[in-house]
Amino acid sequence: MLQTRVIAPADNAHSSPLLIKRLLLSGSRYEKTREIVYRDQLRYSYATLNERIARLANALTAAGVKAGDTVAVMDWDSHRYLECMFAIPMLGAVLHTINIRLSADQILYTMNHAEDKFVLVNSEFVSLYKGIESQLTTVEKTILLTDAADKSADLPNLVGEYESLLAAASPSYDFADFDENSVATTFYTTGTTGNPKGVYFTHRQLVLHTLSMAATVSALDSIRLLGNADVYMPITPMFHVHAWGVPYVATMLGVKQVYPGRYEPELLMKLIQQEKVTFSHCVPTILQMLMNTPSAKGHDFGGLRMIIGGSALNRALYEAAKATGIQLTAAYGMSETCPLISCAYINEELLAGTEDERTTYRIKAGVPVPLVEAAIMGADGQLLPSNGEAQGELVLRAPWLTQGYFREPQKGEELWEHGWLHTGDVAAIDSMGFIEIRDRIKDVIKTGGEWISSLELEDLISRHAAVREVAVVGVADPQWGERPFALLVLREGQSLDAKGLKEHLIPFVEMGHINKWAIPTQIALVTEIPKTSVGKLDKKRIRVDIAQWQAAGSAFLSTL
Amino acid sequence: MLQTRVIAPADNAHSSPLLIKRLLLSGSRYEKTREIVYRDQLRYSYATLNERIARLANALTAAGVKAGDTVAVMDWDSHRYLECMFAIPMLGAVLHTINIRLSADQILYTMNHAEDKFVLVNSEFVSLYKGIESQLTTVEKTILLTDAADKSADLPNLVGEYESLLAAASPSYDFADFDENSVATTFYTTGTTGNPKGVYFTHRQLVLHTLSMAATVSALDSIRLLGNADVYMPITPMFHVHAWGVPYVATMLGVKQVYPGRYEPELLMKLIQQEKVTFSHCVPTILQMLMNTPSAKGHDFGGLRMIIGGSALNRALYEAAKATGIQLTAAYGMSETCPLISCAYINEELLAGTEDERTTYRIKAGVPVPLVEAAIMGADGQLLPSNGEAQGELVLRAPWLTQGYFREPQKGEELWEHGWLHTGDVAAIDSMGFIEIRDRIKDVIKTGGEWISSLELEDLISRHAAVREVAVVGVADPQWGERPFALLVLREGQSLDAKGLKEHLIPFVEMGHINKWAIPTQIALVTEIPKTSVGKLDKKRIRVDIAQWQAAGSAFLSTL
């Protein structure tokens, strides 16, 4: 280590630790009258938000919550969730955002593993909660969250109902300073194998993530994705990586915020129009759902800017969104990374080019945001050049990455092998710094000694006019090792078979985009493609389905 | 201290320390081809900036610079200075930015006090340097900076000339990680009494300051002061609080940067036009100078946004700038605060109001930027309410404030009395969170038991059509304790005496803005108002001048 002139902690006493309370302070003083909106049921000002967070802190303290305790929330996207994202960490406690789309068994596992001591339960999940309650090993008390007029509930160890507790509590609380390396939030990743794994983030990490994201979405690029005068509504659940961290950014900047509860397409459409939403974010499947909503037909979304992440953004969806007035920008991240890592960014060189080139870059994973380092690593642990050609595992360093998995030291060491966080994604980085995700390592299709990117194939297939959705996986083949298999959802009234798909793909073979082994020899026409709890293609489930169809000789399979 | 769940350092090994090298990395990858411009002499790309910083690091290492050493720079604003702002801290060394407007004696004092070991000297300062060289106690080696074709110089202990050293050095350097609490920069404040005091900032502090400033200038407010596509040129010296930290922000965002060398008004005008500068910052006196330049007459600056700090921004200057197309925004900070603390911010409420109201707020010190806490403290150390009425000393907390003065522990303790940084400014904070600076504590005029703000008086006097510049100080008065005394620079062909000034001020007395004791009974008409080395009104010098004029019964004094 270099012998720099380090300021010793004793001489650095006035350094103001990076605490979440300082994000709230900023937003509250910029826009005291700007609103937080919940569905079409409630709206209040930032001044009130500030008071309600203090009331919640007082109510939780009265219920017995102490620094270091883990406090879990089971709720849809709401103003209450926003309040919990501040009040719980600001008390020095840990917020566990429960993924309510997991199975009851998995939820039970995560609650015991995280050692939840208090749980705030939305009335819609009371029966689920009661089903697992007898097996919960650490929970002491519960608080009811409800939109109903009836505030009673048959919840074990109930302290009371959220609004009643807040109403009875004092609207001021003097939040103490503490170590910025204190854990603030935890939640569980939905891996495709084994038990969910717990990631965790400190106050310092969340503050730095917020600042870097604010600089990214507002200063970089010709598009100002989010400025203080925007109206923000998440369409990525708050239980999933803090709704990508945007509620913290929006609050720090004093932005108007709209929380839609459970994602009902017609209500989302109503809120977008009524509240004049200008900024949102979601995964591609949710955007599909939104755009297929009856009231979205012919609607002009002009002015709405969205970040798309979670899965690759394909050109067809980008163009379809654009036709309705929605400006999409791709971003990349994962549960382990807080999540923001990179964001599609149009530099001066691209601005001078064609619209088509810009689109190519708008749908890539983008350029790392400030303070993030990204590299490509070979199987031997050596870093590979960023020349757009070399591909390997995308590895990362940044001040806001999970330092491991809670109580899983072995898995944490694997995550951080060679001192970089391993994403499990195959990628290349080009000379302009753009990351292009080629595939999940385990989703790459290995055929005849070649590697085929299932993502690239999905992108090319999605350009066929008959195709609404597509998923490609590798299936075992005695001759080739693996061969690509495509699941398709067609547009209404359209038809396509394996031969028609081949005809669509041949030009791309001739242009050198893919080799001829990449053309699927088998396809299946389905009405829906299985998704994970966070809306990603569930390739594990798809492989199981395909094996069953093949065994049964299903009629909707088409073979070349 | 609360018992939070703190991640121990051993379990936090992958946390990526906040180091200045990560700001450079970000900018360099966004815009590889965007330019850094030096006067009308040189331009090169961010890719080259990156290489030149590596070359400089290699050259400094070869010259013997090691982590922990202090390396001083005596230069005007240049690409070289920008390179030093990165390379020197990135080596783990400390950059001392010498205030070349100080007297030779003061420069000597600061260099010995800071323990400078290496000095980079612009050829214009070689004779100054040689004049103090025999009394320098710690300097071992020098490097010459020059724009001239002749690269030779008679500098003692010369390692070589900057460009020649860079040309001979390798363009790559593997910068190590180290403790983010390592000192990165130091410089001396120009107090009005006693020796200059050394403030110092760590890598962590500069990174956090950069992120918060980026969010402020790009996301907050309806005006996007600075985005990635802007063109930036400082008109606040780089030796003075890192040109307010903006070069770090601009570099992180990949913004085109223009460095004008010494501030020659005609060259500044040429660069603004030629390079299409859209963002700058300066003190009011420098803006006055710029706007009085012959080539600025009738020029349309449309699109130029400037932050004004260092001294209060008055309405007359704001309006005059606006008439030429320059959008001004006031900000507040000081050497001890890195410097950014607050920035004028127009919230939704003000946007709905009149242009006149907005102007009133655009010229105030503004709202604290993210992560800053500001409060008003009474003489007893108690915090006062933020109600727009209570006034006291403005005190601050933020993650980027100097933790003391170098080798002056007593003065550092005074600075941080009661756990807040004391600004020495009298202020009020209104219910919208706006800070209004009323005066420097020592410049408040105490008359007949009342406190008069010299700043407010200057603002009101500046609205008189004949007045180009004004300074007000208190002078001893046997009857009243103190009485205000005004120094005026009049516009060409205009005249004004104490009686005329009284007539101008009476309406403000009648409207209740000031009391009648605030009307100066004595004024002096001068051709120039004394300024400090950083362009502020030098009230210490003004008081000395007034005493001499009064003793001599000067003819240009006018008395009621």
Side-chain angles (χ1 to χ4, degrees), chain A residues 204-226:
Chain A
R204 170 191 165 101
Q205 292 181 315
L206 288 165
V207 168
L208 291 171
H209 182 268
T210 302
L211 288 169
S212 183
M213 186 187 269
T216 301
V217 294
S218 59
L220 285 169
D221 210 334
S222 49
I223 299 174
R224 192 200 219 185
L225 290 167
L226 176 65

Side-chain angles (χ1 to χ4, degrees), chain B residues 528-539:
Chain B
E528 200 178 350
I529 292 178
K531 310 269 166 41
T532 68
S533 66
V534 294
K536 297 186 189 185
L537 300 177
D538 188 347
K539 294 205 172 173

Side-chain angles (χ1 to χ4, degrees), chain A residues 4 31 182 218 224 228 345, chain B residues 4 31 182 218 224 345 372:
Chain A
T4 57
E31 295 288 352
S182 301
S218 59
R224 192 200 219 185
N228 161 282
Y345 168 74
Chain B
T4 57
E31 296 287 353
S182 301
S218 59
R224 190 200 221 185
Y345 168 75
V372 171

